[in-house]
Amino acid sequence: GTVIAGGPHFNNTRDELLHHCDLPFVMYGECEISFTDFVVKCLKNESVEDVPNLIYRRNGQIVINPAAPDNKDLDSLPFPDLSLGKPSDYEYLFGLHNRVTSIMVSRGCPYVCTFCDVVSVWGRAMRKRSASNVVDELEFNIEKFGIKEFIFKDSVFTLNYKWMDAFLDEIKRRKLDIVWHCNTRVDRVNKKLLERMKDAGLRVV
């Protein structure tokens, strides 16, 4: 089978791994479409040398292909199919429920915190899924997998107050009985927002 590595680490290190091991392929950047293209070409025994975001060897030399443009329409991405894992894959030591899953609603961050490298992964410009699309995913996981606890992995979940209002309104409108966790900055919350978040199921920031 074909072995390929990928993930946030390679947005900075790019070809470094290939200098230290015989791994044939690495992908960097946003690869939903590029990786699909890579898999299809492998299955058809076609050349993968023109696949965007791909790092590989050609005649002993390491080649880094240009990245495809970032996805501006995050609502177009399908929800992860958690049925491909086992129930134990979604256990969480600090959860209230026995099954928990993580969700990302945005890409990009305008801040320059010295301890964080998220900009190398997603860039500065904030791109966000619609509030209704995110709550659709919550309902999808509740109905299909019985998951009622969620961890939002975005660096600054509450960056956009207008989006937060729409998200919280949508949870209330659909009467979702959920628990959730998120990350944010201390200067991107206020008492009123925190109270609304708590009422909508927020447990941990």
Side-chain angles (χ1 to χ4, degrees):
T2 302
V3 177
I4 183 169
H9 175 75
F10 297 106
N11 283 41
N12 259 339
T13 62
R14 301 288 169 95
D15 59 326
E16 181 182 60
L17 183 62
L18 271 67
H19 291 283
H20 300 288
C21 71
D22 292 330
L23 189 73
F25 301 108
V26 163
M27 273 196 150
Y28 70 99
E30 296 185 22
C31 301
E32 290 95 357
I33 295 173
S34 298
F35 180 68
T36 302
D37 186 22
F38 174 85
V39 171
V40 169
K41 290 190 173 186
C42 285
L43 291 173
K44 292 181 176 179
N45 291 316
E46 296 177 356
S47 171
V48 297
E49 292 191 355
D50 63 344
V51 174
N53 304 83
L54 186 67
I55 305 172
Y56 64 99
R57 290 185 178 88
R58 180 198 294 151
N59 301 324
Q61 300 296 311
I62 295 175
V63 178
I64 303 176
N65 285 352
D70 289 342
N71 188 345
K72 299 294 192 295
D73 180 18
L74 300 185
D75 280 9
S76 67
L77 299 174
F79 304 147
D81 183 0
L82 304 184
S83 67
L84 298 175
K86 306 181 298 293
S88 59
D89 292 336
Y90 309 108
E91 293 176 354
Y92 181 55
L93 182 62
F94 304 106
L96 285 182
H97 298 284
N98 62 353
R99 299 192 73 187
V100 177
T101 191
S102 59
I103 292 179
M104 290 283 293
V105 309
S106 66
R107 294 178 180 178
C109 182
Y111 295 102
V112 287
C113 305
T114 57
F115 55 82
C116 179
D117 193 32
V118 73
V119 169
S120 77
V121 181
W122 301 126
R124 287 249 177 268
M126 172 69 79
R127 292 162 285 147
K128 212 163 183 107
R129 296 164 56 188
S130 66
S132 59
N133 177 259
V134 174
V135 181
D136 284 346
E137 184 175 355
L138 300 182
E139 281 196 319
F140 173 78
N141 283 298
I142 292 169
E143 294 169 3
K144 187 165 185 178
F145 307 113
I147 294 178
K148 299 177 68 177
E149 187 161 359
F150 305 92
I151 304 171
F152 292 103
K153 304 298 287 186
D154 308 76
S155 298
V156 192
F157 187 71
T158 64
L159 180 68
N160 185 320
Y161 287 166
K162 184 176 180 180
W163 186 93
M164 285 301 302
D165 283 339
F167 171 71
L168 297 171
D169 287 345
E170 199 69 16
I171 289 177
K172 182 177 181 181
R173 185 181 69 80
R174 304 193 202 189
K175 300 181 172 62
L176 298 190
D177 180 18
I178 58 172
V179 174
W180 51 282
H181 315 231
C182 72
N183 306 305
T184 193
R185 290 168 55 100
V186 70
D187 59 354
R188 293 308 302 163
V189 290
N190 54 57
K191 184 177 180 180
K192 180 180 178 182
L193 176 60
L194 288 170
E195 288 174 344
R196 287 201 68 201
M197 292 164 70
K198 181 182 177 182
D199 288 342
L202 176 68
R203 180 166 181 251
V204 175
V205 178

